[in-house]
């Protein structure tokens, strides 16, 4: 039977990425070897874990290693492992297409990174396309792989020159695992020689020294000749060569699991390189926690807080950063059971010696040891955040504040602790973060509530008409611009005994309405409501406005305008809720409309003015008008008449 062979075209977006990688002038091309070694290490992790339940899957091939074979004559570089390997379908899925961490996000990130080539390695690693980094140094890549448990010699070959297509075919391979052969590009004058053993040694030592499996390479050594092979003179002194060149397989890495060592024995550079290996993030981490717990249960943990938010932080396919081990045996990556969603950006390793190697996710959720580890890790992380200096914490919050605040809504037991770590820009501090503790400390003597307003733009919130009276009274207002804040205020109804109150909903009770003046406006307000009754539920005097003519508000439990906007943006239809049109009775425009209404109730302009008041209120809060053309024409007509 003829072996199956197919040729496929890369998808357009994949080809875009390949073109960028192939044509990149990025100077540190060492990344390709780091990424390929990481992939090989992951493959061995997986087969080693699978062997716990299927011991026979390893056969006689039980000595795990990653072998590097540079060839200066052929200008090739080969890396092979005896890991889990891949089937035909898995090669198509994993190598023929971009990893599922978000192609669209990757391309968007590339667009943002234009002109900043140093971002390329970070993007390559974070988006799961490390394999493609080999095209930085290779004209052609050939991959041959045999899956663990495959029928005798059954294997798959994948090959591409990165020119827009690749071939995939059935082939044979004697042993389990994957072999990748790079046909190296012609070496430029300033390029490293990746076939030179000392170059390879240096890269492995710097980037992959802590990989748990031997990284080996055949190296040439000078070894002494046996005495009987040495030519000597009559005085028994050597007159010829005393050594010979021999090839020996040498292990290039120390294989020390960094998390099992004493923190005092680990250098900063080692911590940093392990972080890069673990996270595929080229930036150094912001903070780290190296923890050793001893007692009735013992486990080691090494956690990192990144300095930059990963590009897939808010994508559905995002992965948690915690790898779970037991006695240095890999169990699983993406271990959500050890870290809540609001800490999903934390990277690291947990090694629990008493954990069952065959543990399932269902068991993990109930395992007392896992629950204990999670509790202790959270405590240490919160302690680390609380003790950060202000500058570092502000940098952290710029990157991860929006994610951390998710915990206020999703983790009631930590609501107060996370709320104390939350920071906001305010009407009195638009350039610096303010904590809720500092807000409460700075409240006016006659201020009973913590005021806030939600929206998507800081400048729009800062100039919102809803805040005019609050500013006049010198009350500080929290400016909440993260979508998650809408859920925060649903859960965090008070802080330090002070209720949280929306500046755009409910009655602010800032000033008493002049009842006699309100009485004089009742007829006009009734007329406006009658004309706009399909869009609003009430027209009333405003206690919010000082300089503006109109604004829209809601009842205390109504959905905010920003929440409606978020639901619409996500494709959901918000419930029909009519809002209140508030008018400033002290504004000359409202006074003149009242005078016109009282002198000529049948004047057709009154309906136009009613609509214009509503449109102005919508525009002032950043909303969208049903008929912006009508609004533009009405404003133009008013300007014309005013100038006449």
């Amino acid at each position: 039977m003829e072996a199956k062979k197919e040729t496929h075209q890369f998808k357009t977006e994949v080809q875009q990425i390949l073109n960028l990688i192939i044509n990149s002038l990025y100077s540190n091309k060492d990344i390709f070897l780091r990424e390929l070694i990481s992939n090989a290490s992951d493959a061995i992790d997986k087969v080693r874990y699978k062997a716990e339940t299927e011991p026979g899957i390893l056969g006689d091939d039980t000595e795990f290693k990653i072998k590097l074979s540079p060839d200066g004559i052929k200008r090739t570089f080969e890396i092979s492992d005896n890991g889990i390997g891949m089937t035909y379908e898995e090669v198509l899925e994993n190598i023929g297409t971009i990893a599922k961490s978000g192609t669209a996000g990757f391309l968007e990130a590339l667009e943002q990174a234009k002109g900043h080539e140093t971002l390329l390695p970070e993007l390559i690693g974070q988006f799961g396309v490390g394999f493609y980094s080999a095209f930085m140094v290779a004209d052609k890549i050939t991959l041959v792989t045999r899956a663990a448990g495959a029928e005798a010699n059954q294997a798959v070959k994948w090959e591409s020159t990165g020119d827009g297509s690749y071939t995939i075919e059935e082939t044979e391979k004697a042993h389990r695992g994957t072999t990748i052969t790079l046909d190296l590009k012609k070496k430029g004058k300033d390029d490293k020689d990746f076939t030179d053993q000392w170059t390879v040694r240096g890269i492995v030592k710097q980037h992959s020294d802590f990989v748990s499996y031997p990284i080996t390479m055949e190296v040439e050594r000078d070894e002494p000749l046996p005495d009987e092979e040495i030519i000597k003179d009559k005085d028994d002194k050597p007159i010829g060569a005393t050594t010979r060149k021999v090839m020996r397989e040498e292990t290039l890495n120390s294989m020390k699991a960094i998390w099992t060592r004493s923190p005092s024995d680990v250098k900063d550079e080692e911590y940093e390189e392990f972080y890069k290996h673990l996270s595929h993030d080229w930036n150094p981490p912001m903070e780290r926690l190296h923890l050793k717990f001893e007692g009735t249960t013992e486990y080691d943990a090494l956690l990192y807080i990144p300095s930059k938010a990963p590009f897939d932080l808010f994508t559905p396919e995002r992965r948690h950063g915690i790898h779970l081990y037991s006695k240095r045996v890999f169990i699983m990556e993406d271990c959500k059971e050890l870290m809540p969603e609001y800490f999903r950006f934390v990277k690291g390793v947990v090694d629990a010696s008493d954990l069952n190697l065959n543990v399932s996710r269902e068991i993990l959720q109930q395992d007392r040891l896992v629950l204990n580890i999670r509790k202790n890790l959270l405590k240490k992380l919160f302690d680390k955040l609380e003790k950060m200096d202000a500058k570092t914490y502000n940098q952290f919050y710029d990157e991860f504040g929006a994610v951390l605040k998710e915990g206020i809504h999703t983790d009631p037991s930590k609501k107060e602790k996370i709320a104390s770590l939350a920071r906001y820009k305010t009407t009195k501090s638009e350039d610096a973060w303010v904590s809720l503790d500092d807000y409460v400390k700075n409240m006016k003597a006659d201020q009973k509530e913590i005021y806030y307003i939600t929206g998507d733009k800081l400048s729009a919130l800062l100039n919102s008409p809803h805040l005019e009276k609050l500013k006049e009274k010198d009350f500080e207002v929290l400016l909440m611009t993260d979508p998650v804040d809408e859920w925060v205020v649903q859960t965090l109804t008070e802080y330090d005994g002070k209720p949280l109150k929306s500046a755009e909903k409910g009655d602010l009770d800032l000033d008493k309405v002049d009842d006699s003046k309100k009485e004089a406006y009742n007829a006009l307000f009734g007329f406006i409501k009658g004309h706009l009754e399909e869009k609003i539920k009430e027209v009333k005097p405003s206690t919010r406005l000082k300089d503006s003519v109109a604004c829209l508000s809601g009842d205390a439990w109504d959905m905010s305008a920003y929440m409606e906007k978020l639901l619409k943006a996500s494709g959901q239809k918000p419930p029909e809720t009519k809002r209140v049109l508030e008018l400033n009775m002290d504004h000359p425009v409202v006074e003149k409309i009242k005078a016109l209404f009282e002198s000529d109730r049948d004047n057709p302009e009154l309906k136009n003015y009613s609509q214009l008041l509503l449109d102005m209120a919508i525009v002032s809060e950043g909303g969208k008008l049903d008929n912006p053309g009508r609004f533009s024409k009405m404003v133009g007509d008013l300007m014309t008449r005013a100038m006449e």
Side-chain angles (χ1 to χ4, degrees):
M1 184 176 175
E2 188 175 341
K4 183 178 179 182
K5 181 174 182 178
E6 300 174 328
T7 299
H8 295 268
Q9 298 296 313
F10 284 115
K11 291 181 180 178
T12 305
E13 59 268 28
V14 178
Q15 189 57 45
Q16 284 179 257
I17 293 167
L18 284 175
N19 288 341
L20 184 139
I21 292 172
I22 292 168
N23 298 316
S24 169
L25 298 178
Y26 182 68
S27 58
N28 191 355
K29 295 178 181 178
D30 299 358
I31 181 177
F32 90 90
L33 186 51
R34 187 195 74 178
E35 291 297 325
L36 294 183
I37 288 173
S38 286
N39 290 348
S41 174
D42 290 345
I44 297 174
D45 276 343
K46 288 172 183 175
V47 79
R48 190 180 177 196
Y49 175 55
K50 194 171 184 179
E52 294 295 327
T53 53
E54 301 177 45
I57 203 168
L58 298 180
D60 297 330
D61 189 7
T62 57
E63 189 180 334
F64 300 116
K65 67 178 174 180
I66 300 164
K67 186 174 181 180
L68 309 180
S69 303
D71 189 321
I73 297 173
K74 294 181 181 178
R75 290 291 300 159
T76 61
F77 190 99
E78 184 179 285
I79 176 170
S80 62
D81 65 69
N82 55 347
I84 198 159
M86 289 179 281
T87 64
Y88 196 97
E89 291 72 24
E90 287 169 338
V91 172
L92 272 175
E93 179 75 10
N94 298 328
I95 307 298
T97 60
I98 286 291
K100 288 188 174 61
S101 53
T103 304
F106 186 91
L107 291 173
E108 183 182 337
L110 289 181
E111 188 66 29
Q112 294 173 358
K114 278 184 177 176
H116 300 280
E117 288 179 340
T118 53
L119 285 177
L120 180 59
E122 179 188 348
L123 300 183
I124 287 172
Q126 286 191 15
F127 279 87
V129 291
F131 172 80
Y132 295 105
S133 66
F135 277 113
M136 286 198 291
V137 299
D139 287 323
K140 183 174 76 172
I141 300 177
T142 304
L143 175 146
V144 177
T145 183
R146 176 180 168 184
E151 294 180 14
N153 295 337
Q154 184 178 336
V156 185
K157 179 180 177 183
W158 180 98
E159 193 167 79
S160 177
T161 56
D163 60 353
S165 66
Y166 60 91
T167 61
I168 180 169
E169 61 183 296
E170 294 174 343
T171 188
E172 293 187 348
K173 186 176 188 296
H175 302 288
R176 177 196 72 243
T178 301
T179 298
I180 298 170
T181 304
L182 311 180
D183 286 7
L184 296 171
K185 294 176 183 286
K186 186 177 180 181
K187 181 181 173 296
K189 187 176 75 169
D190 298 322
D191 291 341
K192 286 184 180 179
D193 182 0
F194 294 109
T195 66
D196 175 69
Q197 67 159 297
W198 296 105
T199 298
V200 175
R201 280 175 184 274
I203 295 171
V204 171
K205 189 68 181 173
Q206 182 180 357
H207 298 300
S208 307
D209 190 54
F210 37 74
V211 169
S212 302
Y213 308 104
I215 302 171
T216 69
M217 182 172 64
E218 292 277 340
V219 297
E220 190 176 67
R221 283 182 178 173
D222 285 327
E223 290 190 356
L225 283 169
D227 191 63
E228 63 271 15
E229 294 184 21
I230 298 175
I231 301 172
K232 301 178 181 178
D233 61 15
K234 60 181 180 179
D235 297 323
D236 203 30
K237 292 182 180 179
I239 57 174
T242 59
T243 62
R244 62 182 169 190
K245 302 285 185 184
V246 295
M247 299 300 293
R248 292 282 186 265
E249 188 173 66
E250 186 174 313
T251 298
L252 308 181
N253 59 319
S254 68
M255 293 180 288
K256 293 178 180 175
I258 196 169
W259 62 87
T260 64
R261 294 159 59 187
S262 168
S264 60
D265 294 337
V266 185
K267 297 176 182 176
D268 289 343
E269 306 84 69
E270 293 178 288
Y271 277 124
E272 191 169 311
E273 286 306 325
F274 181 68
Y275 170 75
K276 291 176 183 178
H277 165 77
L278 190 72
S279 66
H280 301 280
D281 181 0
W282 203 250
N283 296 297
M286 182 180 293
E287 295 283 354
R288 67 173 181 259
L289 282 166
H290 192 169
L291 310 168
K292 290 188 172 292
F293 294 90
E294 297 177 344
T296 52
T297 57
E298 296 186 0
Y299 50 94
D300 298 316
L302 177 54
L303 305 181
Y304 294 92
I305 297 175
S307 56
K308 296 289 182 183
F311 293 101
D312 62 347
L313 189 59
F314 293 100
T315 62
E317 301 88 359
R318 64 179 178 260
R319 301 180 74 81
H320 279 47
I322 304 300
H323 292 213
L324 180 61
Y325 286 75
S326 180
K327 298 176 184 174
R328 292 182 59 181
V329 176
F330 172 79
I331 293 181
M332 68 178 69
E333 59 184 352
D334 188 30
C335 190
K336 296 181 173 68
E337 291 73 19
L338 286 173
M339 200 63 61
E341 277 285 317
Y342 57 87
F343 273 132
R344 62 180 174 271
F345 52 84
V346 174
K347 311 290 185 185
V349 167
V350 172
D351 192 337
S353 57
D354 296 329
L355 202 61
N356 177 5
L357 285 175
N358 301 327
V359 70
S360 68
R361 284 210 178 272
E362 291 72 24
I363 296 172
L364 271 181
Q365 291 168 4
Q366 305 298 326
D367 190 276
R368 291 184 65 182
L369 172 59
V370 171
L371 295 175
N372 180 265
I373 295 173
R374 176 184 169 115
K375 177 182 174 183
N376 287 331
L377 294 183
L378 280 181
K379 183 179 184 303
K380 294 293 184 181
L381 279 169
F382 279 122
D383 288 347
K384 173 65 77 172
L385 295 178
E386 288 166 354
K387 291 174 182 175
M388 276 185 185
D389 63 85
K391 182 180 178 182
T392 305
Y393 187 76
N394 286 342
Q395 291 172 351
F396 162 82
Y397 200 79
D398 283 336
E399 298 293 330
F400 303 109
V403 181
L404 182 65
K405 283 185 291 187
E406 291 175 11
I408 295 175
H409 184 68
T410 60
D411 189 353
S413 67
K414 298 289 187 293
K415 179 175 71 173
E416 294 296 328
K417 186 174 283 290
I418 299 173
S420 70
L421 290 166
R423 300 288 186 270
Y424 291 100
K425 303 294 174 62
T426 76
T427 47
K428 293 185 177 181
S429 179
E430 57 188 282
D431 297 321
W433 293 113
V434 172
S435 69
L436 294 177
D437 287 321
D438 286 340
Y439 179 99
V440 171
K441 193 186 303 178
N442 295 329
M443 284 173 64
K444 295 294 178 183
D446 57 340
Q447 184 181 342
K448 303 291 189 292
E449 293 159 317
I450 298 172
Y451 293 103
Y452 70 87
I453 186 169
T454 60
D456 55 356
K457 287 186 178 178
L458 189 68
S459 58
L461 293 184
L462 199 56
N463 296 293
S464 170
H466 294 95
L467 309 186
E468 289 174 356
K469 281 286 186 180
L470 289 165
K471 288 179 180 177
E472 184 183 37
K473 289 185 171 292
D474 200 27
F475 289 172
E476 192 170 17
V477 182
L478 302 174
L479 307 174
M480 298 185 167
T481 55
D482 288 323
V484 70
D485 288 323
E486 284 289 350
W487 283 268
V488 167
V489 295
Q490 290 178 30
T491 305
L492 191 71
T493 54
E494 68 170 35
Y495 185 80
D496 195 18
K498 305 290 191 297
L500 267 72
K501 188 169 185 61
S502 171
E504 62 169 322
K505 294 192 295 180
D507 194 341
L508 295 187
D509 295 323
L510 296 175
D511 286 316
K512 294 296 181 184
V513 175
D514 186 329
D515 289 335
S516 60
K517 194 169 185 177
K518 179 185 175 185
E519 186 74 25
Y521 276 86
N522 277 346
L524 172 63
F525 287 0
F527 171 84
I528 295 172
K529 180 185 176 184
H531 178 57
L532 302 173
E533 62 183 349
E534 291 185 2
K535 301 172 183 175
I536 61 172
K537 62 182 172 185
E538 188 181 351
V539 180
K540 71 177 188 180
S542 180
T543 58
R544 290 174 168 82
L545 301 175
K546 178 177 180 288
D547 301 314
S548 298
V549 181
C551 71
L552 288 170
S553 64
D555 291 334
W557 302 109
D558 281 353
M559 186 179 292
S560 71
Y562 187 39
M563 188 64 164
E564 282 191 22
K565 188 175 181 180
L566 290 173
L567 290 176
K568 288 177 181 176
S570 66
Q572 301 180 59
K573 186 178 180 181
E576 294 289 339
T577 305
K578 292 181 180 179
R579 300 176 71 201
V580 175
L581 178 62
E582 294 192 11
L583 299 178
N584 184 353
M585 294 189 300
D586 296 325
H587 199 286
V589 166
V590 179
E591 291 175 350
K592 289 182 183 298
I593 293 174
K594 174 177 176 286
L596 177 61
F597 173 74
E598 290 173 346
S599 64
D600 184 5
R601 294 195 176 201
D602 296 324
N603 192 315
E605 289 294 328
L606 287 169
K607 290 185 177 180
N608 288 337
Y609 293 155
S610 298
Q611 182 63 53
L612 190 56
L613 288 171
L614 175 60
D615 286 351
M616 290 168 66
I618 293 171
V619 169
S620 70
E621 67 180 16
K624 287 188 176 181
L625 299 175
D626 292 336
N627 191 340
R630 177 190 60 202
F631 175 73
S632 180
K633 183 178 182 304
M634 290 170 67
V635 172
D637 291 344
L638 284 173
M639 290 175 68
T640 301
R641 290 204 294 271
M643 286 187 281
E644 287 175 349

